[in-house]
Amino acid sequence: MQPKFLGIDGEYHPAGSFLGTDGNYHPKGSFLGSDGKYHPKGSFLGWDGRYHRAGEFVGRDGRYHPQGQFAGREGQYHPAGSFVGSDGSYHQAGAFVGTDGRYHPTGSFMGTDGRYHARGSFLGVDGRYHLPGSFCGVDGKYHQSGSFLGVHGGYVDSDSWLAEEQQNQSGLLA
């Protein structure tokens, strides 16, 4: 466990942190840039006038990209380890071709419904697969972790989660 100290703000901070001119604590090695903001150690001012993290580079497209990314044959940048599949498209490292002939991310599995589902999905009491952290509410429906029963008697879920859940149940979530 990393040692911590009690700052003048009454909060604990990792050892080596320092109080900046902005009144906030910053990690050891951070520095104040010409833009008046603190940046992590190794950051640099790019040709675009913005600060970038160590290892970022300018690609053929003139934009900065994270270390390890590479330009694919179509000119788009992909994460390290990505590969061109038999379908001619780029896929993330560890992706595999399922029995359905499509690529699925590492950890995906085929459920008893014959569809592929995201890692950690589980079979609910309703006979459908649900995303990790989901729970069955008092209404008998599944809701995302962190959802709550609102004052009007309905659960409050995020719209993006609902779309992702529908994709997962359809076996489309990659």
Side-chain angles (χ1 to χ4, degrees):
M1 179 173 232
Q2 184 179 7
K4 295 187 176 194
F5 68 92
L6 184 62
I8 60 171
D9 59 359
E11 301 288 327
Y12 283 92
H13 302 279
S17 298
F18 64 92
L19 185 61
T21 57
D22 60 358
N24 295 316
Y25 281 88
H26 300 279
K28 180 180 179 180
S30 297
F31 65 92
L32 184 61
S34 59
D35 59 357
K37 297 177 184 173
Y38 283 86
H39 300 280
K41 181 180 181 178
S43 296
F44 63 93
L45 186 60
W47 65 268
D48 58 359
R50 296 171 44 194
Y51 281 86
H52 299 276
R53 295 191 179 272
E56 286 189 1
F57 65 94
V58 178
R60 293 186 306 216
D61 59 1
R63 296 173 43 202
Y64 281 88
H65 297 277
Q67 183 176 7
Q69 282 196 349
F70 66 92
R73 61 178 185 232
E74 82 289 17
Q76 293 180 349
Y77 282 77
H78 303 278
S82 296
F83 64 94
V84 177
S86 57
D87 60 358
S89 298
Y90 281 87
H91 301 279
Q92 290 186 354
F96 64 93
V97 178
T99 57
D100 58 359
R102 294 176 24 197
Y103 281 86
H104 300 278
T106 302
S108 297
F109 65 93
M110 182 183 284
T112 56
D113 58 0
R115 297 176 175 170
Y116 284 89
H117 298 279
R119 175 192 331 228
S121 295
F122 63 94
L123 189 58
V125 295
D126 60 357
R128 301 175 84 179
Y129 283 87
H130 299 279
L131 294 173
S134 301
F135 66 93
C136 189
V138 296
D139 58 359
K141 297 179 182 175
Y142 280 83
H143 302 277
Q144 74 183 66
S145 174
S147 296
F148 59 93
L149 193 56
V151 294
H152 300 293
Y155 279 89
V156 179
D157 293 323
S158 78
D159 292 336
S160 62
W161 176 83
L162 293 173
E164 192 175 338
E165 177 69 7
Q166 288 171 341
Q167 286 181 333
N168 186 56
Q169 289 179 7
S170 300
L172 301 175
L173 194 60

